[in-house]
Amino acid sequence: MATLLLIDSSLSPEGGSASRSVTAAFRKAWEEQHPDGTVIHRDLAADPLPHLDGIGASAGFSDPAGHTPEQQAAFALRVKLAEELEQADAIVIGAPMYNFTIPSTLKAWLDQVIIMGRTSGGQPSAKGTPVTVVASRGGSYAPGTPREPFEYVQNYLEAVLGGGLGLEVDFIVPELTMAPNNPAMAELIPLYETSRDKAHEDAAAKAKALVARFAA
């Protein structure tokens, strides 16, 4: 029985969020193909995690037997997040672009879940787990576009998820999501609609492919 870890970080509810609509499409396809599976859903906007502080960081580099009560409490959260990551057979992350990068709530999750010697380091404990990142953005930062140099979402997440956690990273990129609400982008609405539809199709196809992969 496979487990999906779903992480949403958009500030907007599903009806107004491009990333949430795509992660929801992924989940729907996953559950249709795998009704007996488990979904762990972390909504980082509705239930944000605390940013990593000195107490939690120091606990990750010291013997748990010598932890202070404060370190014990801080590290318990990090262990819980690490266990969710390790239990997952697949992961889908909604990562909308805010001010050229990921939401601070998603960065907080990463800082908490990256534990050197466990989830990160020589043999990351979740190494090889497939992760699908829905990297939505209001404009376009694709290669060859004027804003390509400001693409700090995919580059960063490829490095931290793939290089740091050893995950198998794939991206779905719904772009031009501001076109319907920005008169200056009106002529780009058809391109936005094409990108939106493809993102939903790719999400469903990816979920189905992963379920088939685990069943093989």
Side-chain angles (χ1 to χ4, degrees):
M1 186 168 64
T3 296
L4 173 68
L5 174 59
L6 166 59
I7 298 172
D8 280 312
S9 62
S10 173
L11 294 173
S12 303
E14 184 177 326
S17 167
S19 66
R20 285 183 186 272
S21 68
V22 178
T23 60
F26 187 107
R27 178 177 184 170
K28 181 174 183 290
W30 171 278
E31 292 181 324
E32 287 175 348
Q33 300 294 313
H34 195 51
D36 296 327
T38 299
V39 177
I40 301 170
H41 185 200
R42 277 207 169 266
D43 188 332
L44 300 178
D47 189 17
L49 297 167
H51 287 282
L52 184 65
D53 59 14
I55 295 173
S58 65
F61 291 97
S62 58
D63 184 350
H67 283 176
T68 66
E70 293 77 15
Q71 286 178 314
Q72 289 174 0
F75 198 57
L77 172 62
R78 302 189 68 189
V79 168
K80 181 179 181 181
L81 297 173
E83 289 174 345
E84 290 177 354
L85 180 73
E86 293 159 353
Q87 291 165 7
D89 295 286
I91 305 163
V92 59
I93 299 176
M97 179 185 282
Y98 292 163
N99 300 316
F100 304 118
T101 189
I102 63 173
S104 63
T105 51
L106 181 54
K107 181 60 165 60
W109 177 79
L110 287 166
D111 288 340
Q112 294 280 10
V113 82
I114 295 173
I115 303 174
M116 186 60 63
R118 180 169 178 169
T119 59
S120 183
Q123 289 295 326
S125 54
K127 184 176 181 179
T129 304
V131 55
T132 303
V133 179
V134 181
S136 60
R137 59 277 313 276
S140 179
Y141 298 77
T145 63
R147 289 200 166 193
E148 178 185 358
F150 299 101
E151 209 302 303
Y152 300 117
V153 173
Q154 288 178 262
N155 292 339
Y156 170 69
L157 290 177
E158 177 67 49
V160 72
L161 295 173
L165 294 173
L167 306 179
E168 178 189 304
V169 187
D170 188 31
F171 288 95
I172 295 175
V173 186
E175 61 179 12
L176 303 170
T177 62
M178 290 181 63
N181 302 309
N182 185 344
M185 297 175 67
E187 64 181 14
L188 299 175
I189 290 178
L191 292 176
Y192 151 72
E193 292 174 339
T194 298
S195 177
R196 176 199 60 197
D197 294 346
K198 184 177 186 302
H200 283 81
E201 292 169 3
D202 288 350
K206 182 68 175 179
K208 291 176 183 178
L210 286 171
V211 171
R213 171 173 156 184
F214 300 140

